[in-house]
Amino acid sequence: MFGFLKGLGVTLRELPKHKVTLQYPDVRPEWPERFRGVHRLLVDECIVCNQCARICPTDCISLSGTRGEDKKIRLDTFDINFDTCILCDLCTEVCPTEAILMSDTFEMAQYSRDNLYLDMHWLHDNELRYERNHPERFQKDAEGNEATETAGEPQ
Ligand code: SF4
Ligand code: SF4
């Protein structure tokens, strides 16, 4: 009986407090900017240096590129196997051009593991989705860059 009353006391105490649970999937979470979800890829920024693939602890990135007549190297393929990716963020840390970044995409449930091999088109689409969903973050970055450039200008 004492246990029951104690439990009821806890329930009554918690009832008026602010709720932290969400009615997912009807209400979706707003993840912070540094959330480590599935990658997004800026295909044109990639210089095919292979650093992301080399640092990956689970060896789940594979990519290839070719040098064009203008001597510029361009990405041909970029695949991540999300069956083994641990979303550790190391690949984005080493990328010299910030071509590969994390996003807030997190719903990756699949019936087949084969569907967890995602190519550069999917990763690029994820970048476009991220830009569409967070225009304010890109606005903030642009303002930050403008301020840095102005500060760097000779007086
Ligand atoms: S997040 Fe980590 S495990 Fe996933 S691809 Fe990048 S380096 Fe590899
Ligand atoms: S580290 Fe960045 S630039 Fe280099 S291959 Fe990977 S994504 Fe491309």
Side-chain angles (χ1 to χ4, degrees):
M1 187 66 179
F2 175 70
F4 170 73
L5 290 175
K6 198 173 160 190
L8 192 63
V10 172
T11 307
L12 291 174
R13 218 172 32 248
E14 293 299 318
L15 262 182
K17 287 191 184 167
H18 174 68
K19 309 282 180 297
V20 291
T21 48
L22 292 177
Q23 296 299 320
Y24 176 82
D26 297 328
V27 179
R28 302 179 64 75
E30 177 65 29
W31 300 117
E33 218 166 321
R34 291 178 63 83
F35 181 76
R36 297 208 305 246
V38 176
H39 306 68
R40 52 197 171 102
L41 179 71
L42 288 88
V43 175
D44 294 337
E45 299 296 320
C46 180
I47 54 171
V48 198
C49 65
N50 226 25
Q51 290 199 54
C52 51
R54 268 202 299 257
I55 200 150
C56 179
T58 61
D59 215 8
C60 61
I61 300 182
S62 53
L63 61 113
S64 65
T66 42
R67 199 175 288 283
E69 282 174 8
D70 57 358
K71 305 280 183 235
K72 277 196 179 159
I73 192 156
R74 287 191 184 82
L75 198 60
D76 289 333
T77 64
F78 192 108
D79 304 300
I80 303 183
N81 175 9
F82 284 99
D83 191 15
T84 52
C85 172
I86 53 172
L87 298 172
C88 67
D89 198 26
L90 283 175
C91 51
T92 73
E93 290 288 328
V94 295
C95 179
T97 61
E98 298 193 348
I100 185 92
L101 296 159
M102 307 306 270
S103 78
D104 57 0
T105 304
F106 67 98
E107 290 152 315
M108 295 292 286
Q110 298 287 347
Y111 285 108
S112 163
R113 289 184 171 193
D114 293 344
N115 296 340
L116 293 170
Y117 281 85
L118 298 178
D119 65 8
M120 68 183 208
H121 303 295
W122 190 96
L123 295 166
H124 182 63
D125 286 348
N126 198 35
E127 163 63 18
L128 300 180
R129 192 164 38 236
Y130 187 84
E131 285 178 23
R132 252 193 331 270
N133 291 344
H134 302 288
E136 75 291 348
R137 292 184 184 173
F138 291 87
Q139 176 75 20
K140 215 165 64 191
D141 285 352
E143 281 167 10
N145 290 342
E146 226 168 78
T148 316
E149 276 167 25
T150 315
E153 276 172 15
Q155 300 296 312

